Amino acid sequence: VDLNLPSGTLWGDRNVGAESITGFGSLYAWGEVQEKDDYSMNTYVGQQKPSRKITSQKHDAATVFLGKNWALPTEEQFKELITECRWIWKKIDDHNGYEIIGKNGNKIFLPASGWGQNTEIKYRNQYGYYWTSERSSSSQFARSLQFPKNGRGIVGNGYLYVGRNIRAVYVNNALEE
C-alpha cells in the first residue's frame, strides 16, 4: 500500500499470516520464522540469530512467507509511519486496532493483536506489537512498534523471545539468502 510517505516505503496490506486485512496474523519471536506454542526464554535460540539486524532471508518471516521482495521494516520506517500518517483507533471485524491513513488517503489497518509470552497471548484487542529488523543496544531486546488504544505508536524494546506480529514492507533490493 502506498501511503505517500517521503521515503516511498510501500506497506503490506495485512500482517504476515493473516487471511484478511483486519486479521491478527501469526506471532514470531525475533529472528524466527515459525509460530510456536510457547514464547519463552527456554524456547528461543538466541545464539543463532543476527547480532544487530536481520539481513538474510532465513531470519525474516516476511521474506520467507511473502517472497524475496518483502522484509521486516526498520525502526525508521515505523517512525515515519508514526509521524507522517493519521492514526484512528477503530474496531473492524471484531478486531481493535489503528487505521493508519497516509496523506494521499490510502490506509492500512494494524490490529491490536497483543503479544505471546509463554503459552498465552496477552493484551489481544488492547495493544499492538510489531517487530522491526533491528536489535536494540542491549542483547536481550529488539526494536518494535508498540501501541495502546489511547495513543499513537512508539518504537520501543521487546524481549527477543516473545511473540510479536510482523507487518512487511516491500523492498526493491531483496535480502541475501
Side-chain angles (χ1 to χ4, degrees), residues 11 52-53 72-82 131-136 142-145 154-157:
W11 286 87
R52 289 294 299 139
K53 184 173 180 168
L72 279 156
T74 65
E75 180 175 346
E76 287 306 312
Q77 287 170 318
F78 272 132
K79 285 181 177 179
E80 181 182 54
L81 200 64
I82 293 166
W131 287 126
T132 72
S133 60
E134 300 163 73
R135 278 180 102 151
S136 71
R143 304 295 284 162
S144 68
L145 171 70
I154 62 164
V155 178
N157 290 328

Side-chain angles (χ1 to χ4, degrees), residues 41-65:
M41 288 178 68
N42 296 335
T43 65
Y44 187 74
V45 186
Q47 63 270 26
Q48 295 179 358
K49 306 300 178 277
S51 61
R52 289 294 299 139
K53 184 173 180 168
I54 293 174
T55 58
S56 71
Q57 294 178 14
K58 69 180 181 179
H59 294 296
D60 190 325
T63 305
V64 168
F65 292 103

Side-chain angles (χ1 to χ4, degrees), residues 159-170:
Y159 283 106
L160 298 169
Y161 63 85
V162 300
R164 296 193 176 202
N165 286 106
I166 295 173
R167 179 58 64 100
V169 293
Y170 187 82

Side-chain angles (χ1 to χ4, degrees), residues 111-175:
S113 43
W115 55 288
Q117 183 176 15
N118 299 318
T119 58
E120 296 179 59
I121 297 177
K122 297 178 176 273
Y123 306 111
R124 179 144 284 172
N125 269 320
Q126 298 173 46
Y127 296 91
Y129 299 91
Y130 290 80
W131 287 126
T132 72
S133 60
E134 300 163 73
R135 278 180 102 151
S136 71
S137 57
S138 168
S139 62
Q140 299 177 30
F141 302 102
R143 304 295 284 162
S144 68
L145 171 70
Q146 305 168 17
F147 60 80
K149 71 178 186 178
N150 60 354
R152 75 169 38 173
I154 62 164
V155 178
N157 290 328
Y159 283 106
L160 298 169
Y161 63 85
V162 300
R164 296 193 176 202
N165 286 106
I166 295 173
R167 179 58 64 100
V169 293
Y170 187 82
V171 293
N172 288 326
N173 53 335
L175 296 177

